[in-house]
Amino acid sequence: MKLKGVRGAPDLLPQETARWQRVETATRFLLQRYGYAEIRTPVFERTELFVRGIGEGTDIVEKEMYTFIDQGEVNLTLRPEGTAPVARAYLEHQMAAQFPLVKLYYLGPMFRRERPQSGRYRQFHQIGVEAIGSDQPAVDAEVIDLLWALMVEEFRIPDLQLRLNSIGDAACRPTIRDRLRRYMTDRSSALCPDCQGRLTRNPLRIMDCKQPGCQHLVAEAPKPLESLCEACAAHFTEVRGLLDHLKIPYTIDERLVRGLEYYTKTAFEVINPRLGAQNALAGGGRYDGLIEVVGGPSTPAMGFAVGIERVIASLPSAEEEDVLRGIYVATLGREAQRAGMGLLQELRRRGMRGLMNLEARSLKSQMRQANKERVRYCLILGDEELGRGQATLRDMMKADQTSVELVHIVERLMGLEGV
């Protein structure tokens, strides 16, 4: 029987990974400009970290985690999200002693056992950003500015929407929850089965339920902004003022809540309306209570996560087209092949993308391969041309060619456009 991959954990084939590499490279450059340093945490952690950090009443903990017992009888879980592991590493390595504001980012796979569908996978990948150590609204604004720059300026995804809300803190969250719980309890028969369970555990999760009946109730339900305490209201006003100053467009979405219990105050999402049901490309907010929940002192923090699969699906068609780049050396004859290998060695070590056929195929076959490899130039070299110190250089984009001297050929090729 032929073995197949696991459903919901797709392979990324070579023709797809170029787009992933572009996204990852652009991300690293931008985050470094904002002063963020990369952190890499293990793909599995002790299960208790996620139960305490994410919350027992969440769908992730109750339904979606991949949990197992290892040979040492330790209960482990493949990470379903990246913030709790970063919080654990922040505490374990005493990172607060190094900087008052610790700015970290990560890229990597996460795992949730969900029903696979377009834009939702069991193994998926995220870009995560965490700023730990400050409760200032300016941190919220800079993190959101960073996300907007990443999505709009680096990835150049059109028609995005930034949605913003505040969901209160430990002082006003009980009031927010109690008002919503009382409202929904009187109408509980109209809630879906999942939301009936959320009503006692985490009523705020009802706010982002996608079932039509629940959405109808939420439209008239008490909103978090109506019950903010004075401090949370002032914080949110300052965040909005800074975003206006930075010219970041946003819409207030009073129904927006985050699915993880550690979020407080500012909450936000970036939406791509073109993606249909799974249209949230990124989301985040402030999580001032998480560090304390996982065993540390009370520590304010702010961050977001970006779904890389949904970013890839959102890239404009122009970004998905392969760019002609590099050179293919087509050779005819044993001596020409040896000379071509030496030439490619020099070009590659100078940073050029260089390819050739090593199986002595026909020139026609090699030219077909050059087209498949999407190179900008093809250098055609035969034993006879080698004896004359010449070769033919073909521009694959312009479909023209010229005879070139092999003397100083490396410098000549390195000076070409599109290599």
Side-chain angles (χ1 to χ4, degrees):
M1 182 182 71
K2 182 170 67 174
L3 294 176
K4 295 184 177 181
V6 176
R7 184 168 177 257
D11 297 307
L12 295 175
L13 302 179
Q15 60 266 33
E16 301 171 288
T17 52
R19 286 176 288 170
W20 283 70
Q21 291 166 359
R22 177 191 173 275
V23 166
E24 292 163 357
T25 299
T27 296
R28 293 181 192 279
F29 282 137
L30 181 67
L31 290 171
Q32 289 166 8
R33 294 204 301 271
Y34 274 73
Y36 285 79
E38 184 178 8
I39 185 171
R40 302 188 185 191
T41 62
V43 296
F44 57 86
E45 299 269 359
R46 295 178 185 271
T47 301
E48 182 185 9
L49 172 66
F50 299 113
V51 173
R52 290 170 60 183
I54 297 173
E56 291 187 87
T58 60
D59 288 350
I60 294 175
V61 171
E62 290 189 341
K63 303 177 183 180
E64 299 170 2
M65 295 200 312
Y66 283 100
T67 297
F68 59 96
I69 306 295
D70 75 352
Q71 290 90 332
E73 300 300 313
V74 178
N75 197 328
L76 302 175
T77 295
L78 296 179
R79 62 185 183 196
E81 58 93 41
T83 303
V86 169
R88 188 267 310 153
Y90 171 85
L91 287 173
E92 185 172 342
H93 301 288
Q94 301 178 355
M95 299 179 75
Q98 303 172 31
F99 301 98
L101 177 61
V102 177
K103 301 167 71 173
L104 304 169
Y105 78 90
Y106 54 87
L107 297 91
M110 310 291 164
F111 307 87
R112 297 183 191 177
R113 197 184 191 289
E114 301 184 280
R115 182 173 64 86
Q117 54 187 295
S118 178
R120 189 182 290 273
Y121 303 96
R122 291 176 174 175
Q123 176 177 295
F124 58 100
H125 298 77
Q126 288 186 342
I127 301 162
V129 164
E130 317 293 352
I132 306 174
S134 174
D135 62 357
Q136 292 301 303
V139 175
D140 303 41
E142 184 184 77
V143 167
I144 295 172
D145 173 57
L146 166 56
L147 174 60
W148 194 249
L150 187 65
M151 307 297 280
V152 175
E153 298 176 16
E154 296 296 327
F155 301 156
R156 297 194 286 277
I157 302 174
D159 303 327
L160 295 180
Q161 300 173 8
L162 171 62
R163 298 180 180 177
L164 188 68
N165 197 16
S166 178
I167 54 177
D169 63 4
C172 53
R173 184 73 63 81
T175 300
I176 294 171
R177 284 177 170 169
D178 288 346
R179 289 189 65 203
L180 183 60
R181 183 181 287 114
R182 289 196 300 270
Y183 172 86
M184 291 297 179
T185 298
D186 293 341
R187 300 159 178 81
S188 60
S189 61
L191 294 173
C192 72
D194 283 342
C195 285
Q196 288 178 355
R198 292 166 181 154
L199 186 57
T200 55
R201 298 191 308 271
N202 187 2
L204 280 177
R205 292 286 286 113
I206 301 174
M207 299 288 286
D208 62 359
C209 180
K210 302 300 187 291
Q211 296 297 324
C214 297
Q215 289 185 349
H216 178 73
L217 293 180
V218 167
E220 302 299 326
K223 306 302 188 296
L225 287 182
E226 299 170 352
S227 301
L228 293 183
C229 63
E230 184 176 347
C232 285
H235 185 278
F236 192 52
T237 298
E238 179 65 10
V239 171
R240 292 182 60 185
L242 289 169
L243 293 179
D244 292 338
H245 175 70
L246 295 172
K247 296 181 173 56
I248 305 297
Y250 62 86
T251 300
I252 299 298
D253 183 354
E254 294 185 310
R255 296 174 53 180
L256 174 62
V257 296
R258 303 299 299 147
L260 309 182
E261 290 189 356
Y262 53 63
Y263 281 105
T264 60
K265 296 181 181 176
T266 307
F268 59 91
E269 285 185 343
V270 171
I271 302 297
N272 182 358
R274 300 183 179 189
L275 288 187
Q278 304 300 329
N279 61 4
L281 299 190
R286 181 162 284 282
Y287 51 95
D288 293 346
L290 176 61
I291 303 295
E292 189 172 7
V293 167
V294 298
S298 179
T299 306
M302 174 74 175
F304 65 77
V306 177
I308 300 181
E309 282 84 355
R310 296 186 188 180
V311 166
I312 298 295
S314 300
L315 291 177
S317 58
E319 296 297 329
E320 295 183 354
E321 296 176 359
D322 291 327
V323 177
L324 299 183
R325 185 175 62 85
I327 189 165
Y328 187 99
V329 177
T331 63
L332 292 173
R334 183 171 180 271
E335 292 304 316
Q337 186 186 61
R338 292 169 65 90
M341 291 182 69
L343 174 62
L344 277 184
Q345 181 190 55
E346 178 67 18
L347 293 172
R348 288 163 173 166
R349 289 181 177 176
R350 293 198 183 194
M352 183 187 294
R353 176 178 182 250
L355 306 164
M356 72 178 298
N357 175 264
L358 302 176
E359 299 174 347
R361 292 181 178 174
S362 68
L363 179 60
K364 183 177 180 180
S365 176
Q366 292 182 68
M367 296 302 292
R368 283 200 301 267
Q369 186 64 31
N371 278 315
K372 288 182 180 179
E373 295 288 357
R374 306 295 291 164
V375 295
R376 174 64 189 272
Y377 298 97
C378 184
L379 186 73
I380 304 170
L381 178 63
D383 284 351
E384 292 185 8
E385 290 86 354
L386 182 63
R388 298 196 302 268
Q390 293 182 326
T392 300
L393 182 64
R394 180 172 180 80
D395 187 325
M396 306 295 278
M397 179 183 291
K398 298 179 180 178
D400 60 19
Q401 62 187 42
T402 183
S403 179
V404 295
E405 300 292 330
L406 291 178
V407 178
H408 308 306
I409 186 63
V410 172
E411 286 73 14
R412 167 74 183 276
L413 295 176
M414 292 300 299
L416 295 174
E417 176 188 0
V419 296

